[in-house]
């Protein structure tokens, strides 16, 4: 089986190939090889936590903490490059359930050119949860070897921070 990052990358590759967003990518359960260098993240707003910007720096501890302690309603913002493009696009997942060892994510029905895109509209996310281990979620912070779309988690939006 495939890990979270590889499953996401394959889903995005498939979507880019056929010109649509998959509603139900496969669930992953196996571990990936050690992650490759992290990609630079766009500037963060006051309510978002960016990923680390350099392979020489330690991972962003606030982002790691949010992945390790997911809350229902968290929105994972994932950056990637569509096939044949140098522009970054963004895809979103909403945490629908967080258990002691896993997290259920609802994938968005569409991508965006803006990492700050409004995801509050009814029906923005599918209703089919994908279950991932906490370790698989951590893998998403860094681009995986062989990922031609350079898929990586850049931030997690937390509703309680937006309301402050």
């Amino acid at each position: 089986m495939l890990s979270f990052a590889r499953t996401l990358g394959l889903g995005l590759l498939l979507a880019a190939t056929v010109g649509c967003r998959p509603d139900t990518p496969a669930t992953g359960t196996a571990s990936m090889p050690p992650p490759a260098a992290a990609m630079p993240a766009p500037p963060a707003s006051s309510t978002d936590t960016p990923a680390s910007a350099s392979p020489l720096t330690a991972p962003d501890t606030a982002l790691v903490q949010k992945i390790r302690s997911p809350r229902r309603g968290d929105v994972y913002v994932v950056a990637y490059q569509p096939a044949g493009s140098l522009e970054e696009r963004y895809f979103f997942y909403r945490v629908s359930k967080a258990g002691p060892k896993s997290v259920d994510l609802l994938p968005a029905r569409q991508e965006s050119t803006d990492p700050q895109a409004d995801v509050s509209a009814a029906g923005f996310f599918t209703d089919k949860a994908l279950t991932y281990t906490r370790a698989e979620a951590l893998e998403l912070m860094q681009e995986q070897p062989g990922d031609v779309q350079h898929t990586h988690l850049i931030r997690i939006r937390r509703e309680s921070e937006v309301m402050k």
Side-chain angles (χ1 to χ4, degrees), residues 40-117:
S45 74
S46 61
T47 60
D48 294 335
T49 305
S52 61
S54 167
L56 302 176
T57 61
D60 182 316
T61 55
L63 184 61
V64 170
Q65 183 59 35
K66 285 182 180 180
I67 293 172
R68 288 185 175 156
S69 302
R71 293 185 189 163
R72 187 169 185 245
D74 283 356
V75 174
Y76 288 27
V77 182
V78 177
Y80 74 99
Q81 290 178 341
S85 174
L86 296 178
E87 292 184 30
E88 260 190 339
R89 297 278 183 161
Y90 305 93
F91 196 70
F92 307 92
Y93 289 88
R94 175 165 280 151
V95 175
S96 63
K97 180 180 173 186
K101 294 183 180 181
S102 64
V103 62
D104 287 357
L105 303 176
L106 301 174
R109 295 184 190 274
Q110 62 190 31
E111 65 183 22
S112 176
T113 58
D114 180 6
Q116 302 295 335

Side-chain angles (χ1 to χ4, degrees), residues 108-148:
R109 295 184 190 274
Q110 62 190 31
E111 65 183 22
S112 176
T113 58
D114 180 6
Q116 302 295 335
D118 181 7
V119 299
S120 64
F124 188 87
F125 294 94
T126 69
D127 58 355
K128 296 185 181 184
L130 307 171
T131 301
Y132 297 98
T133 68
R134 300 278 180 95
E136 290 169 334
L138 279 169
E139 288 178 0
L140 191 57
M141 288 182 60
Q142 295 183 331
E143 182 180 330
Q144 300 298 306
D147 181 0
V148 298

Side-chain angles (χ1 to χ4, degrees), residues 21-41:
R21 174 73 41 212
D23 282 345
T24 55
T27 299
T29 58
S31 296
M32 286 292 297
M39 297 296 292

